[in-house]
Amino acid sequence: MKLLKNGFVVNMETGEFSRQDVYIENNKILKVAPNLQIDNIEVLDFTDKWLIPGLIDMHVHIKKHFANYFTAAGITTVRNTAGSIIELKPFIDANGSEMEPRVISADCMIDGPPGLWGDDTAYNINVDNTDLAKQEVARQLELGAHFIKVYGWLDPEYMEVVVNEARKHNLEVSSDILYSKKVDALLAADIGID
């Protein structure tokens, strides 16, 4: 239990800010108000400091050795847009006691041959047929991926297969089409990329 006193708090609806006290218990904000008085609690002086909501970085490729830099910058959640769910499992299952962000993650990116990043690795797979596209979505679902990531060299036909398979399991599909020769943003949206 902590009471953060006299910090500047931004009203996210109006954009106005004011000095407020913030009462936190079990890592949850329970009350925000001026001049809170609570007995037998740790009090931290936040005079002339800003208290903001935790930020979310929507596109990262995180590793354990630099994860704490995110939280140091106020980022409490990251969306890892391709990686290895097995490698990230300790992050994903964390209880919040470490100074690391919460991780929402895709597993390896699904690309088309020859693969922008080369041959298949723990971080990418090159798909050139419907069965392999379906199998890869099923594999990632089994691992616990929060969403699926496709990459720009994936043929539109197989991109659509990935999207349809993901939808069956209420998974979103993210895409990086920067180097794509066949898929632009409009076609990606048509296919169903989120």
Side-chain angles (χ1 to χ4, degrees), residues 45-65:
D45 183 11
F46 271 72
T47 302
D48 296 329
K49 293 185 174 127
W50 291 86
L51 301 170
I52 63 171
L55 303 174
I56 299 173
D57 191 326
M58 294 295 288
H59 189 141
V60 305
H61 300 284
I62 194 167
K63 299 287 185 189
K64 182 83 171 158
H65 65 277

Side-chain angles (χ1 to χ4, degrees), residues 95-165:
N95 64 9
S97 63
E98 298 291 323
M99 293 302 294
E100 297 169 341
R102 180 172 66 113
V103 175
I104 300 165
S105 188
D107 195 54
C108 66
M109 65 184 100
I110 303 173
D111 201 1
L116 188 62
W117 297 102
D119 293 334
D120 296 352
T121 69
Y123 307 105
N124 69 295
I125 183 169
N126 298 318
V127 169
D128 61 0
N129 67 69
T130 298
D131 289 339
L132 186 54
K134 288 180 178 181
Q135 289 169 11
E136 182 56 22
V137 171
R139 185 193 71 76
Q140 292 193 29
L141 180 68
E142 178 77 21
L143 277 176
H146 298 104
F147 63 99
I148 304 294
K149 165 89 176 267
V150 295
Y151 219 63
W153 288 8
L154 183 62
D155 189 280
E157 174 186 353
Y158 307 127
M159 196 175 282
E160 191 167 356
V161 170
V162 168
V163 168
N164 291 336
E165 289 301 301

Side-chain angles (χ1 to χ4, degrees), residues 2-193:
K2 293 182 179 169
L3 183 60
L4 312 180
K5 297 288 286 180
N6 300 315
F8 289 121
V9 175
V10 177
N11 180 320
M12 300 307 285
E13 292 178 11
T14 67
E16 296 173 353
F17 62 91
S18 60
R19 285 192 190 275
Q20 301 283 325
D21 297 342
V22 178
Y23 172 54
I24 300 172
E25 187 175 313
N26 296 324
N27 291 324
K28 293 197 188 293
I29 296 172
L30 297 184
K31 191 164 190 174
V32 178
N35 303 314
L36 286 175
Q37 298 299 320
I38 300 171
D39 294 329
N40 301 318
I41 189 169
E42 181 181 0
V43 176
L44 301 170
D45 183 11
F46 271 72
T47 302
D48 296 329
K49 293 185 174 127
W50 291 86
L51 301 170
I52 63 171
L55 303 174
I56 299 173
D57 191 326
M58 294 295 288
H59 189 141
V60 305
H61 300 284
I62 194 167
K63 299 287 185 189
K64 182 83 171 158
H65 65 277
F66 60 80
N68 60 327
Y69 292 125
F70 287 98
T71 48
I75 298 167
T76 57
T77 301
V78 297
R79 185 172 169 271
N80 191 69
T81 56
S84 166
I85 291 288
I86 294 168
E87 180 182 312
L88 296 173
K89 201 76 169 133
F91 279 132
I92 293 167
D93 294 342
N95 64 9
S97 63
E98 298 291 323
M99 293 302 294
E100 297 169 341
R102 180 172 66 113
V103 175
I104 300 165
S105 188
D107 195 54
C108 66
M109 65 184 100
I110 303 173
D111 201 1
L116 188 62
W117 297 102
D119 293 334
D120 296 352
T121 69
Y123 307 105
N124 69 295
I125 183 169
N126 298 318
V127 169
D128 61 0
N129 67 69
T130 298
D131 289 339
L132 186 54
K134 288 180 178 181
Q135 289 169 11
E136 182 56 22
V137 171
R139 185 193 71 76
Q140 292 193 29
L141 180 68
E142 178 77 21
L143 277 176
H146 298 104
F147 63 99
I148 304 294
K149 165 89 176 267
V150 295
Y151 219 63
W153 288 8
L154 183 62
D155 189 280
E157 174 186 353
Y158 307 127
M159 196 175 282
E160 191 167 356
V161 170
V162 168
V163 168
N164 291 336
E165 289 301 301
R167 290 286 180 269
K168 291 177 186 176
H169 304 284
N170 296 317
L171 290 180
E172 291 182 353
V173 179
S174 174
S175 179
D176 188 334
I177 55 173
L178 184 64
Y179 298 102
S180 179
K181 292 178 175 50
K182 296 182 181 178
V183 180
D184 62 16
L186 292 175
L187 180 55
D190 246 6
I191 289 170
I193 300 295

